[in-house]
């Protein structure tokens, strides 16, 4: 190939200049070009050819280049070229267009070409030189932005709520609907104007600063009640509005506008004021009633205290006075049995039944007294080792345990805050129950009781839903006391913790029917809970939950 400067003398004068600019332009990712107006020859560098999607030589005809431009934009490109080389023009060339190019371009690419014309001594343009860069991304961004604006404009116009769409940090009114125009007392001529120009009375007001802050930070703004003057039937009236302002984002995550809405809440504000007035009147009346009721409750509390004291005295006296004749019945029964040992079997049976009835009555009075005193006696709360409580309980029940050959397997128990006497009653009743309700084999012989005591610490969130209470410690100690006894049907679960409720006959298992009721009262008094699981013939497990 011959040297281009020889074949094309026009280029020899500008080639050196082009080379000087080449490296600087490469850094900006733009292509350079030169158009010989007289010869209609175009020289473009490698980057320029890439942008046009052209795979070929560095020098082409002007028409060859033009055929790479999208048909819809060719006339505009030609018109801009003619305008730049016109003697009456400034000689500047600036145009945006699409190129369809060759296989290097999958879809139309937007380019931005800029340049200037060079003239000879006669004033005629002989060369047009410039640069070209890819603006496809910017054009698509603008297109998407226009699509977004169109969508928001549609939303604003069709919104039943007073709404305005602002664009830019200058808070220019892009679209505003009829309800908002009514609030402003304006017409559609305000669109396209900055808000402060439309409403100069807002100058220096915090509202405009709030809008600009939303635009700058992206943090939405909401005001539940702001008073405004609104034109109604030709007259300005005071009304209350709730305002909301939210940023509008482009696809690239930048904010390009704001959506501002206003709801007339005058009726609600007026209703609230009326409610507040009624509330004040009711509050005053309530204070009078509360004061009166407080006096009545104080008097009732004094009466209740006196009644409770009397009941305490009665319970103490009754327990002693009732126990004394029962002891006499038992003593005289024993004397009768000894004195008249030769009596008939039926007569001795009567005496035995009388004494057993006296024992049951004595136990019943004792258990009722314990049950009544749980919530009325002064509670001594201290740090209690449940291991110590269990050890003492096993000593108290040593005879029964020994006679039944019971096996008791217990985990180390925790330390809790509580009343030692009541917690001892709790463990004694539960273990005594497990010993008492043992099974018998086919020969009618009782099986060996096997009792296990397990404990674990559980958070409040893991409590069974039905056991959750208003009291909310962080965790509970769960203590499970399990046996291998006769068990019960869980449909009677609520019943077993009630006073005098029995699932078995007195002849099967002795007892007053108060033991589990005492357990529940003790646990509740300690801020805990108790429940049970069982199946007939499969034993039972009583689960006690005490605050950790």
């Amino acid at each position: 190939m011959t040297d281009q400067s020889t074949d094309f003398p026009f280029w020899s004068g500008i080639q050196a200049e082009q080379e000087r600019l080449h490296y600087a332009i490469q850094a900006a990712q733009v292509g350079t070009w030169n158009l010989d107006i007289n010869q209609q020859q175009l020289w473009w560098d490698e980057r320029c050819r890439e942008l046009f999607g052209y795979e070929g030589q560095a020098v082409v005809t002007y028409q060859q280049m033009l055929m790479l431009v999208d048909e819809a934009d060719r006339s505009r490109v030609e018109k801009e070229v003619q305008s730049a080389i016109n003697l009456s023009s400034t000689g500047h060339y600036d145009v945006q267009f699409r190129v369809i190019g060759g296989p290097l371009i999958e879809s139309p690419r937007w380019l931005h070409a800029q340049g200037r014309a060079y003239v000879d001594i006669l004033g005629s343009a002989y060369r047009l030189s410039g640069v070209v860069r890819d603006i496809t991304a910017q054009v698509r961004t603008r297109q998407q932005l226009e699509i977004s604006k169109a969508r928001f404009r549609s939303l604003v116009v069709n919104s039943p709520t007073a709404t305005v769409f602002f664009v830019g940090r200058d808070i220019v009114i892009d679209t505003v609907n009829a309800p908002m125009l009514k609030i402003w007392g304006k017409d559609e001529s305000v669109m396209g104007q900055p808000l402060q120009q439309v409403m100069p009375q807002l100058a220096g007001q915090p509202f405009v600063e709030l809008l600009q802050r939303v635009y700058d930070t992206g943090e939405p703004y909401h005001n539940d009640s702001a008073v405004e003057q609104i034109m109604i039937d030709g007259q300005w009236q005071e009304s209350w509005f709730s305002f909301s302002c939210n940023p509008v984002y482009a696809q690239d995550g930048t904010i390009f506008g704001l959506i501002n809405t206003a709801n007339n809440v005058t009726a609600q504000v007026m209703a609230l004021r009326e409610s507040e007035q009624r509330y004040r009147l009711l509050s005053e009346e309530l204070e009078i009633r509360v004061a009166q009721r407080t006096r009545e409750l104080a008097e009732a509390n004094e009466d209740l205290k006196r009644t409770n004291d009397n009941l305490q005295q009665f319970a103490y006296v009754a327990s002693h006075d009732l126990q004394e004749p029962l002891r006499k019945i038992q003593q005289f029964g024993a004397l009768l049995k000894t004195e008249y040992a030769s009596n008939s079997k039926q007569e001795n049976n009567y005496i035995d039944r009388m004494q057993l009835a006296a024992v049951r009555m004595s136990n019943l009075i004792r258990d009722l007294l314990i049950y009544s005193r749980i919530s009325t006696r002064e509670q001594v709360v201290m740090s209690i080792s449940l291991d110590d409580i269990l050890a003492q309980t096993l000593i108290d029940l040593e005879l029964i345990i020994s006679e039944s050959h019971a096996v008791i397997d217990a985990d180390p128990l925790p330390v809790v805050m509580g009343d030692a006497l009541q917690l001892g009653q709790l463990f004694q009743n539960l273990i005594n129950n497990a010993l008492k309700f043992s099974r018998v084999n086919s020969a009618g012989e009782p099986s060996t009781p096997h009792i296990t005591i397990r404990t674990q610490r559980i958070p409040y969130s893991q409590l069974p839903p039905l056991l959750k209470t208003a009291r909310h410690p962080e965790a509970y100690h769960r203590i499970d006391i399990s046996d291998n006894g006769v068990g019960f049907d869980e449909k009677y679960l609520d019943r077993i913790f009630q006073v005098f409720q029995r699932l078995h006959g007195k002849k099967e298992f002795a007892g007053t029917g108060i033991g589990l009721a005492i357990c529940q009262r003790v646990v509740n008094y300690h801020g805990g809970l108790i429940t049970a699981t069982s199946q007939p013939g499969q034993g039972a497990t009583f689960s006690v939950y005490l605050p950790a």
Side-chain angles (χ1 to χ4, degrees):
M1 178 182 291
T2 57
D3 184 77
Q4 288 182 5
S5 62
T6 305
D7 291 343
F8 304 99
F10 167 73
W11 303 115
S12 59
I14 64 168
Q15 194 171 25
E17 177 186 351
Q18 200 68 43
E19 289 176 354
R20 284 194 300 271
L21 295 174
H22 177 70
Y23 293 106
I25 291 174
Q26 269 192 329
Q29 291 296 302
V30 297
T32 60
W33 52 269
N34 279 281
L35 174 63
D36 184 338
I37 297 172
N38 296 322
Q39 299 295 326
Q40 291 291 289
Q41 298 286 335
L42 181 75
W43 180 91
W44 46 11
D45 66 3
E46 183 179 356
R47 176 58 179 160
C48 192
R49 296 197 299 276
E50 289 176 1
L51 293 176
F52 273 80
Y54 179 74
E55 293 180 320
Q57 58 188 3
V59 180
V60 295
T61 66
Y62 173 63
Q63 286 300 320
Q64 284 178 305
M65 179 278 296
L66 205 57
M67 292 306 295
L68 298 174
V69 177
D70 191 291
E71 186 177 0
D73 297 336
R74 286 175 194 165
S75 60
R76 185 156 47 82
V77 171
E78 287 188 284
K79 183 178 179 181
E80 189 66 23
V81 170
Q82 293 302 319
S83 175
I85 63 177
N86 191 294
L87 292 177
S88 60
S89 73
T90 61
H92 289 95
Y93 172 73
D94 193 329
V95 64
Q96 296 179 9
F97 53 89
R98 287 162 292 182
V99 292
I100 51 178
L104 296 180
I105 301 179
E106 297 180 359
S107 60
R109 175 185 292 163
W110 279 91
L111 301 181
H112 183 194
Q114 292 176 294
R116 56 164 293 189
Y118 294 86
V119 297
D120 56 22
I121 57 175
L122 299 177
S124 297
Y126 65 91
R127 176 164 61 100
L128 191 60
S129 298
V131 295
V132 64
R133 60 190 179 91
D134 188 345
I135 60 167
T136 306
Q138 296 93 314
V139 170
R140 288 178 180 169
T141 298
R142 287 199 302 269
Q143 290 172 342
Q144 289 296 331
L145 190 60
E146 289 304 316
I147 292 172
S148 297
K149 285 183 179 180
R151 185 173 70 253
F152 281 106
R153 286 165 186 156
S154 176
L155 291 173
V156 169
V157 171
N158 296 312
S159 173
T161 304
T163 309
V164 57
F165 174 33
F166 297 115
V167 294
R169 193 177 184 279
D170 292 335
I171 318 299
V172 175
I173 302 166
D174 183 278
T175 311
V176 59
N177 65 3
M180 185 66 84
L181 288 173
K182 184 178 180 181
I183 294 175
W184 290 353
K186 304 289 183 178
D187 57 31
E188 293 183 353
S189 64
V190 301
M191 288 192 287
Q193 301 181 49
L195 179 63
Q196 293 189 76
Q197 182 176 325
V198 173
M199 296 184 178
Q201 67 270 27
L202 293 177
Q205 295 296 318
F207 181 67
V208 176
E209 293 181 5
L210 287 170
L211 296 180
Q212 291 173 336
R213 189 182 307 160
V214 173
Y215 191 92
D216 292 338
T217 65
E219 296 179 3
Y221 168 76
H222 180 76
N223 187 353
D224 284 327
S225 56
V227 66
E228 293 287 338
Q229 296 290 329
I230 179 174
M231 180 72 72
I232 301 178
D233 298 329
Q235 295 183 345
W236 289 100
Q237 297 184 18
E238 186 179 90
S239 297
W240 290 84
F241 292 89
S242 66
F243 287 99
S244 292
C245 183
N246 292 279
V248 177
Y249 291 89
Q251 282 193 333
D252 61 359
T254 58
I255 297 173
F256 71 89
L258 304 171
I259 289 289
N260 191 69
T261 60
N263 283 291
N264 193 327
V265 293
T266 304
Q268 294 91 316
V269 171
M270 294 298 104
L272 181 61
R273 287 181 175 178
E274 292 176 5
S275 297
E276 289 175 347
Q277 179 63 22
R278 288 197 301 270
Y279 172 77
R280 280 194 292 270
L281 295 175
L282 288 173
S283 180
E284 292 172 0
E285 182 180 351
L286 183 62
E287 286 180 2
I288 296 173
R289 291 186 180 182
V290 167
Q292 180 181 353
R293 186 60 178 160
T294 301
R295 288 193 299 271
E296 294 173 354
L297 287 174
E299 295 172 0
N301 190 50
E302 285 298 320
D303 291 340
L304 184 62
K305 187 176 182 300
R306 285 193 295 270
T307 302
N308 189 52
D309 291 341
N310 292 336
L311 285 174
Q312 287 274 41
Q313 294 175 7
F314 171 77
Y316 179 78
V317 171
S319 67
H320 285 75
D321 290 353
L322 289 175
Q323 292 282 16
E324 185 58 31
L326 289 173
R327 280 194 292 271
K328 284 189 173 13
I329 291 172
Q330 291 174 298
Q331 290 171 357
F332 284 124
L335 288 173
L336 283 173
K337 197 169 183 179
T338 303
E339 186 73 21
Y340 303 100
S342 59
N343 286 350
S344 68
K345 185 177 181 180
Q346 184 176 6
E347 290 171 337
N348 285 329
N349 182 44
Y350 288 156
I351 294 173
D352 289 340
R353 290 173 65 183
M354 177 187 69
Q355 286 185 304
L356 286 175
V359 170
R360 284 199 300 271
M361 178 62 77
S362 179
N363 291 338
L364 180 62
I365 292 170
R366 183 200 64 216
D367 287 349
L368 281 174
L369 187 61
I370 292 172
Y371 184 79
S372 66
R373 283 180 172 177
I374 288 174
S375 59
T376 56
R377 72 182 286 271
E378 184 177 353
Q379 191 178 30
V380 181
V381 178
M382 61 179 65
S383 181
I384 303 295
S385 168
L386 294 183
D387 277 331
D388 294 344
I389 296 292
L390 177 61
Q392 185 59 49
T393 300
L394 297 181
I395 292 173
D396 295 340
L397 298 175
E398 184 177 9
L399 182 60
I400 302 175
I401 294 172
S402 175
E403 289 177 349
S404 63
H405 305 290
V407 177
I408 299 176
D409 177 17
D411 286 345
L413 298 179
V415 174
V416 299
M417 297 299 294
D419 185 301
L421 185 62
Q422 292 184 12
L423 291 173
Q425 192 70 48
L426 169 69
F427 273 82
Q428 181 167 332
N429 283 359
L430 289 175
I431 294 175
N432 192 42
N433 253 28
L435 294 169
K436 180 170 62 177
F437 291 101
S438 59
R439 289 180 302 208
V440 294
N441 56 26
S442 57
E445 299 172 345
S447 61
T448 300
H450 191 176
I451 302 169
T452 60
I453 303 174
R454 300 288 179 258
T455 183
Q456 61 177 313
R457 181 186 176 99
I458 61 173
Y460 177 84
S461 60
Q462 292 183 14
L463 277 181
L466 294 178
L467 298 183
K468 291 186 178 180
T469 64
R471 190 167 179 175
H472 196 313
E474 291 183 1
Y476 278 79
H477 293 297
R478 172 177 168 173
I479 303 162
D480 292 329
I481 300 178
S482 304
D483 62 57
N484 61 338
V486 297
F488 62 88
D489 193 325
E490 287 190 12
K491 68 181 181 181
Y492 300 117
L493 180 60
D494 292 338
R495 197 171 141 192
I496 64 174
F497 292 107
Q498 297 175 13
V499 177
F500 301 131
Q501 293 297 316
R502 301 172 58 92
L503 301 184
H504 305 279
K506 294 179 181 177
K507 291 183 179 180
E508 293 181 84
F509 300 100
T512 61
I514 304 176
L516 289 179
I518 291 174
C519 290
Q520 186 180 55
R521 200 159 190 180
V522 168
V523 172
N524 290 347
Y525 199 56
H526 281 75
L529 304 151
I530 184 170
T531 187
T533 56
S534 180
Q535 290 183 11
Q538 301 296 318
T541 297
F542 285 85
S543 298
V544 175
Y545 297 83
L546 294 175

